[in-house]
Amino acid sequence: LFIIFYEERNFGGRYHECMSDCADLHSYFSRCHSCRVESGCFMVYDRSNYMGNQYFFRSGEYPDYMGMTGFSDCIRSCRMIPMYHGSYRMRIYPHADMGGQMMELMDDCPNMMERFHMSDFNSCHVMDGHWLMYDQANYRGRMHYLRPGHYRRFSDWGGMGPRIGSIRRIMEF
């Protein structure tokens, strides 16, 4: 599993290969305009320490990272998403610290409002699997990577607010 970041579009200029999580890529390159995922799946972040805008990359070539994502040319950290072939289960809550009526997901949900009649969730517990959460319905908008663990408030998953439009399982291995 590895990803290669290139400073220029179409895989030109200096490059850096990454085979694991990296909290600070700034010392390896000053900007990133393209990347190639040789195998596996990765989340890339525009700030160090897995903060800021997030974007999901599966195996493939991305000759114009900025044009594709609309994000800046700053990639400052990346996280390898481990292969997973088990069941998927997540509990979501309307209040912080797992408060309020618990709702459970075991499959993809393209529209949280339609299924749960609400779209503001302040905490969640991922029991099984790796998930992508989006702030808009139909897997659009700002995305957030969730791995197993407790997320006591929306800021724990990098959210700017509690709005969740859709959620899907990461199964592209």
Side-chain angles (χ1 to χ4, degrees):
L1 305 173
F2 70 99
I3 186 170
I4 306 169
F5 299 103
Y6 297 86
E7 284 193 335
E8 304 300 332
R9 285 177 182 79
N10 298 311
F11 319 110
R14 288 185 6 183
Y15 65 92
H16 174 69
E17 293 183 10
C18 197
M19 291 177 249
S20 62
D21 293 357
C22 186
D24 189 4
L25 291 165
H26 183 67
S27 61
Y28 300 110
F29 50 83
S30 58
R31 65 185 183 276
C32 178
H33 285 285
S34 57
C35 68
R36 179 179 286 133
V37 179
E38 293 294 333
S39 61
C41 296
F42 288 81
M43 285 305 289
V44 298
Y45 302 80
D46 67 358
R47 291 178 45 207
S48 298
N49 298 312
Y50 318 111
M51 303 291 287
N53 291 313
Q54 304 179 29
Y55 200 82
F56 175 73
F57 286 93
R58 63 178 58 90
S59 290
E61 295 189 342
Y62 303 88
D64 184 6
Y65 169 78
M66 283 177 39
M68 186 188 82
T69 63
F71 291 159
S72 71
D73 63 355
C74 295
I75 291 180
R76 295 293 182 245
S77 54
C78 74
R79 190 180 297 278
M80 182 186 72
I81 300 171
M83 286 191 181
Y84 180 78
H85 298 290
S87 61
Y88 288 76
R89 200 168 74 159
M90 173 195 296
R91 291 181 176 160
I92 53 176
Y93 303 85
H95 303 298
D97 295 315
M98 299 0 153
Q101 177 65 43
M102 180 271 292
M103 290 154 260
E104 191 163 278
L105 282 166
M106 297 175 74
D107 59 352
D108 297 349
C109 181
N111 192 315
M112 297 293 283
M113 181 60 88
E114 281 182 9
R115 184 182 292 185
F116 297 110
H117 307 291
M118 61 187 306
S119 59
D120 284 359
F121 299 92
N122 282 279
S123 58
C124 72
H125 176 200
V126 177
M127 280 91 73
D128 300 302
H130 297 260
W131 301 74
L132 284 177
M133 180 184 290
Y134 298 80
D135 65 358
Q136 297 176 26
N138 300 310
Y139 316 118
R140 298 195 174 284
R142 188 179 299 258
M143 65 177 67
H144 307 284
Y145 168 53
L146 299 173
R147 56 190 184 170
H150 290 87
Y151 299 83
R152 300 197 171 283
R153 55 197 44 82
F154 61 80
S155 58
D156 290 351
W157 64 68
M160 304 290 280
R163 174 81 19 102
I164 301 172
S166 51
I167 298 176
R168 71 178 174 98
R169 299 163 293 167
I170 300 175
M171 303 177 75
E172 292 92 350
F173 295 109

